[in-house]
Amino acid sequence: MNDIPRVSPDEIRDRFSRAMSAMYQDEVPQYTTLLELVEQVNRETLEANPALAERLTEADELARLDVERHGAIRVGSAEELGMLRRLFAVMGMHPVGYYDLSEAGVPVHSTAFRPVDDAALSRNPFRIFTSLLRLELIESQELRERAAAILAERDIFTPGARELIALSEAQGGLNDDQAERFVVEALETFRWHHDATVDLATYEALHAEHRLIADVVCFRGPHINHLTPRTLDIDEVQRRMPAAGMTPKAIIEGPPRRDCPILLRQTSFTALEETIRFAGEQAGTHTARFGEIEQRGVALTPRGRELYDRLLTHSREQGTGGDNATHQQRLAEVFADFPDSESALRRQGLAFFEYRLTDAGRAAGKVAEADLETLIERGLVSARPITYEDFLPVSAAGIFQSNLGGGDNGAYAGNANRAAFEAALGAPVADELALYAERERASRDAVLQALAY
């Protein structure tokens, strides 16, 4: 057995993400329309901007542009979250970042399971934003206890998935046949079920507290609630969605359109209302699943994030303005104070960059001592923005609220509890800013060492 070649976690992740995409397209045909629209906009954007195409090619971004960048699920118990950590580890996906969505009135806290090293991200950057329901934030003790009892009765993993996870841990990976079976078994956790596990009255009681609570508690599994292709022009996709038969959410979440994109911008088509069969043969509907789009920019340093958060808070105090055009205009006015060129972001320490020797730098050999900026000015070193691979709590909450309804709940706010989340997870979450900082530091040290006497 030990002599059988193992399939790399990156390969398993790639197979899984493709299988999930196929399943979701079958379950939500409108998502296929969204993929086609994003592909068309991306193609037209690249044709109109050859320099962008060249930059994406040099940065190894073009080949993975058409891979869905993330999905999202919500689970209800510590046991479910801990087992998901083990499942995702088989695919080389690790918990990165702690997100307290209670600050935006949503009773969950979250992490993103994703690849962390450069080679894995280049192979397939797929990640799952995973939220844990916080039953302790439900005010009604009776409702809390009822929800906990319902969750205790279910197992969201197949026996086959549990067996293969344990096997992978015991033997240090899976062979090809085992990897294929793992993808099939793991996919069942994320499949949609039209049958609820509760009666209509229980669903309505949980729904009245918050629609997200009903979504997490009342079904056999956490069903993938959206997948997300990456676009190069989210404003154009948003503009074209109605003509393609999709209703976009009211506003694009995140920073405004910029010459030098930062962090993450997100939008979606609104969630579908789907027929559900409740216990006792009662019929009803549930709204949960949608299609999301994202556009990613450069990762910001702690100083950059502080500036971003301050400006975002200022813009939120002014209100959205109701429609996306007004919202984007107000955002742009507020974010005029945020530098909008790569050189300014780099020199002011607002964003993370990866440094590489240019052809001239490789030909130069050793050079007289010089700082990094001088080497860049001399054309010996290039600075490439490091793509932001993570999420924004306010944006995530905005997506949740627009597709689940119910707005926010001030009673949930101010209840961050990273320690409890990590205890449920069974492991610490990685600091995303530390990952970017280490990547920048390693690249800087490498080029300076290559050029130094």
Side-chain angles (χ1 to χ4, degrees):
M1 173 69 71
N2 291 333
D3 295 331
I4 298 176
R6 302 285 185 258
V7 177
S8 74
D10 293 343
E11 172 62 24
I12 300 175
R13 182 175 66 258
D14 188 61
R15 294 181 189 182
F16 177 80
S17 68
R18 295 178 188 280
M20 180 173 283
S21 178
M23 180 186 76
Y24 200 64
Q25 289 181 65
D26 182 60
E27 292 180 348
V28 184
Q30 198 172 40
Y31 179 64
T32 302
T33 305
L34 180 66
L35 289 177
E36 293 169 349
L37 174 58
V38 169
E39 191 278 331
Q40 179 183 7
V41 169
N42 285 349
R43 185 176 65 252
E44 293 174 5
T45 302
L46 291 170
E47 290 172 351
N49 191 344
L52 174 62
E54 183 178 353
R55 289 190 61 180
L56 290 173
T57 300
E58 292 176 350
D60 300 323
E61 292 278 358
L62 199 58
R64 62 177 186 154
L65 180 61
D66 293 334
V67 177
E68 282 96 330
R69 295 288 291 224
H70 82 263
I73 58 170
R74 310 167 186 126
V75 295
S77 70
E79 194 282 330
E80 291 176 353
L81 182 67
M83 192 65 182
L84 275 175
R85 175 183 58 80
R86 296 170 61 195
L87 181 148
F88 287 129
V90 176
M91 298 183 275
M93 299 164 69
H94 309 284
V96 177
Y98 172 75
Y99 304 91
D100 171 33
L101 271 63
S102 75
E103 69 180 41
V106 180
V108 301
H109 46 186
S110 316
T111 191
F113 289 96
R114 70 167 178 89
V116 294
D117 62 68
D118 292 353
L121 286 165
S122 179
R123 176 69 176 84
N124 186 314
F126 186 68
R127 81 284 325 266
I128 296 285
F129 188 82
T130 303
S131 299
L132 174 63
L133 178 63
R134 303 187 63 185
L135 291 176
E136 75 275 13
L137 297 184
I138 299 176
E139 295 182 20
S140 165
Q141 180 178 345
E142 178 186 356
L143 208 56
R144 282 200 309 272
E145 293 175 351
R146 192 188 314 179
I150 294 168
L151 291 167
E153 291 296 316
R154 76 180 187 183
D155 186 351
I156 66 174
F157 305 96
T158 68
R162 290 183 175 273
E163 175 189 346
L164 287 162
I165 291 167
L167 181 63
S168 177
E169 294 169 341
Q171 65 183 22
L174 300 174
N175 63 36
D176 189 70
D177 177 67
Q178 293 162 352
E180 284 297 307
R181 289 194 288 119
F182 170 81
V183 169
V184 171
E185 297 288 348
L187 206 61
E188 290 305 306
T189 294
F190 305 88
R191 191 177 298 280
W192 174 251
H193 299 286
H194 286 283
D195 296 318
T197 59
V198 302
D199 59 32
L200 184 58
T202 300
Y203 171 86
E204 289 177 341
L206 292 168
H207 189 280
E209 172 69 20
H210 197 289
R211 291 188 184 187
L212 184 144
I213 298 173
D215 181 63
V216 174
V217 173
C218 298
F219 297 88
R220 280 188 282 164
H223 49 254
I224 192 79
N225 58 66
H226 70 265
L227 288 178
T228 309
R230 180 185 180 188
T231 182
L232 299 173
D233 190 343
I234 198 168
D235 301 273
E236 184 62 15
V237 175
Q238 174 96 349
R239 188 185 69 81
R240 295 190 193 184
M241 284 171 69
M246 293 172 280
T247 303
K249 70 182 298 294
I251 63 171
I252 297 172
E253 301 283 350
R257 186 182 186 97
R258 293 164 43 90
D259 292 334
C260 184
I262 58 173
L263 297 174
L264 173 67
R265 303 180 74 202
Q266 296 171 278
T267 189
S268 68
F269 64 69
T270 54
L272 308 176
E273 185 172 294
E274 303 182 77
T275 301
I276 300 297
R277 189 165 50 247
F278 292 92
E281 297 301 313
Q282 296 171 295
T285 61
H286 179 64
T287 303
R289 299 190 298 164
F290 54 96
E292 185 175 301
I293 313 100
E294 65 175 41
Q295 183 171 358
R296 291 188 175 267
V298 63
L300 299 183
T301 63
R303 182 186 300 176
R305 281 300 296 268
E306 188 279 329
L307 177 57
Y308 171 81
D309 290 342
R310 177 156 45 87
L311 294 176
L312 183 66
T313 298
H314 180 50
S315 72
R316 287 170 63 83
E317 290 170 350
Q318 295 183 348
T320 64
D323 63 275
N324 188 57
T326 302
H327 174 66
Q328 295 302 322
Q329 181 179 349
R330 290 182 178 177
L331 265 183
E333 291 170 355
V334 171
F335 272 81
D337 291 335
F338 204 111
D340 195 12
S341 71
E342 290 181 9
S343 61
L345 292 174
R346 187 183 72 252
R347 288 169 177 159
Q348 295 182 37
L350 298 174
F352 290 110
F353 288 82
E354 182 178 38
Y355 300 100
R356 294 184 180 183
L357 293 177
T358 63
D359 290 339
R362 283 186 287 271
K366 304 298 183 180
V367 300
E369 184 175 347
D371 62 33
L372 195 57
E373 284 301 319
T374 301
L375 295 172
I376 292 171
E377 290 172 4
R378 293 174 57 184
L380 303 180
V381 172
S382 65
R384 187 183 78 184
I386 295 177
T387 300
Y388 186 64
E389 302 287 354
D390 297 286
F391 297 90
L392 302 170
V394 172
S395 295
I399 294 285
F400 280 15
Q401 290 163 353
S402 68
N403 285 290
L404 285 168
D408 57 16
N409 185 334
Y412 301 146
N415 285 284
N417 196 337
R418 179 171 179 155
F421 184 85
E422 291 181 331
L425 185 67
V429 298
D431 181 341
E432 66 274 22
L433 294 180
L435 293 176
Y436 298 121
E438 173 57 25
R439 182 174 173 184
E440 180 180 79
R441 184 204 62 77
S443 70
R444 181 182 63 248
D445 290 352
V447 297
L448 290 177
Q449 182 178 1
L451 292 171
Y453 279 110

